[in-house]
Amino acid sequence: INKLLAEAEAAKQIKKEQEKRDAYENSIPDEIKAKYVALDCEMVGIGSEGKLSALARVSITAWNDEIILDTFVQVPDRVTDFRTFVSGVRAKDIRSTNQNAMELHYCRKKVGEIMKNKILVGHSLKNDFAALMMDHPKHMIRDTARYKPFMRASGRNGGKLRPRKLRDLVKEHCGLVIQKDGEEHTSVEDAQATLKLYKVVRDKWEKEIEKASANKRGRGSKKR
């Protein structure tokens, strides 16, 4: 009985927090929401042991979960590990004969066009950037894997802060279940979940960025 009561109380709290987030989100102007996109990629393994990563799927979603881009990508190298159990990618998805698989160069161009002048939200974006062979202005990146309140200290006496899994963070802060054990990942779902996670802390995060920026400007003026 105690367990059921605890679960009911937890569900009630999650609902209350969601209502609060919904009210906050509704207060944000549409032109601000339009500045955000979320990115997630799936990779396959290349090289003799399949340990090198190559881009195989790209998904970009908008604030309202709209899918802006979702495409498989042709892999110019020989794939030695499709990582299907995680990536969900199969040989047929990335063949050059598949009309739904973009050529890598065109895909990078398309992604660059979408990301231009946007605040980019993602989880462990350095992996996505490496696969895309692209970058983005640092001040326009919101990486939930690198946001300190989402990280966990490891080692003795706290130690170094390390990223947590997106699956765990989304379940804890949003009450959502993604990347279920035994199921393939989907980059669309992960991109949407990452933006939902960002929304939970957006107000606090943006204030921290603004404060840090103001402090930096202040130090710069003192030097002059």
Side-chain angles (χ1 to χ4, degrees):
I1 294 175
N2 289 337
K3 184 179 180 181
L4 290 174
L5 289 173
E7 289 176 350
E9 182 60 31
K12 184 179 178 180
Q13 186 63 29
I14 288 174
K15 183 180 179 182
K16 185 177 179 180
E17 290 174 356
Q18 184 60 54
E19 289 173 350
K20 185 178 178 180
R21 288 198 294 268
D22 289 344
Y24 167 69
E25 186 174 338
N26 290 334
S27 71
I28 301 173
D30 289 341
E31 58 267 27
I32 298 297
K33 295 176 182 178
K35 293 181 179 180
Y36 291 87
V37 294
L39 168 73
D40 190 71
C41 300
E42 300 293 350
M43 278 71 89
V44 292
I46 59 175
S48 59
E49 298 180 356
K51 292 183 178 180
L52 299 175
S53 294
L55 185 68
R57 184 180 177 182
V58 181
S59 299
I60 300 177
T61 61
W63 182 278
N64 62 356
D65 285 346
E66 176 190 354
I67 300 171
I68 301 172
L69 176 70
D70 180 35
T71 182
F72 287 107
V73 182
Q74 297 172 21
V75 180
D77 301 282
R78 187 174 73 89
V79 178
T80 47
D81 185 357
F82 284 91
R83 307 174 184 172
T84 305
F85 71 100
V86 174
S87 70
V89 177
R90 291 165 174 78
K92 63 182 178 63
D93 297 324
I94 57 177
R95 287 193 184 117
S96 58
T97 54
N98 182 0
Q99 294 182 345
N100 294 319
M102 278 190 187
E103 188 272 327
L104 178 59
H105 176 74
Y106 179 72
C107 179
R108 293 178 65 240
K109 182 174 180 292
K110 186 74 174 177
V111 170
E113 290 171 351
I114 295 171
M115 293 192 332
K116 187 177 180 180
N117 298 325
K118 298 290 186 180
I119 296 175
L120 184 67
V121 181
H123 194 78
S124 296
L125 281 167
K126 68 175 183 178
N127 298 325
D128 300 310
F129 289 151
L132 283 161
M133 296 177 283
M134 297 176 67
D135 207 340
H136 199 61
K138 186 176 179 180
H139 71 283
M140 299 186 77
I141 293 174
R142 304 292 184 270
D143 191 335
T144 53
R146 307 304 305 174
Y147 183 52
K148 288 183 179 180
F150 285 158
M151 300 175 80
R152 176 174 289 160
S154 62
R156 290 184 177 180
N157 301 319
K160 184 179 180 181
L161 286 175
R162 297 188 182 280
R164 295 176 61 196
K165 292 181 179 180
L166 175 63
R167 177 180 66 180
D168 296 339
L169 289 169
V170 168
K171 184 176 182 180
E172 179 181 320
H173 295 277
C174 307
L176 299 176
V177 177
I178 63 169
Q179 301 177 358
K180 295 178 183 178
D181 290 334
E183 293 186 8
E184 300 163 4
H185 294 189
T186 159
S187 47
V188 169
E189 182 181 65
D190 288 355
Q192 292 170 336
T194 306
L195 195 43
K196 285 183 173 68
L197 179 61
Y198 166 75
K199 290 176 185 179
V200 173
V201 294
R202 176 186 178 271
D203 189 42
K204 181 182 177 182
W205 195 343
E206 294 304 322
K207 285 178 179 176
E208 290 172 356
I209 291 173
E210 179 56 35
K211 183 178 179 180
S213 179
N215 289 339
K216 188 175 180 180
R217 289 195 298 269
R219 289 194 299 270
S221 62
K222 286 180 181 179
K223 287 181 180 179
R224 289 194 293 271

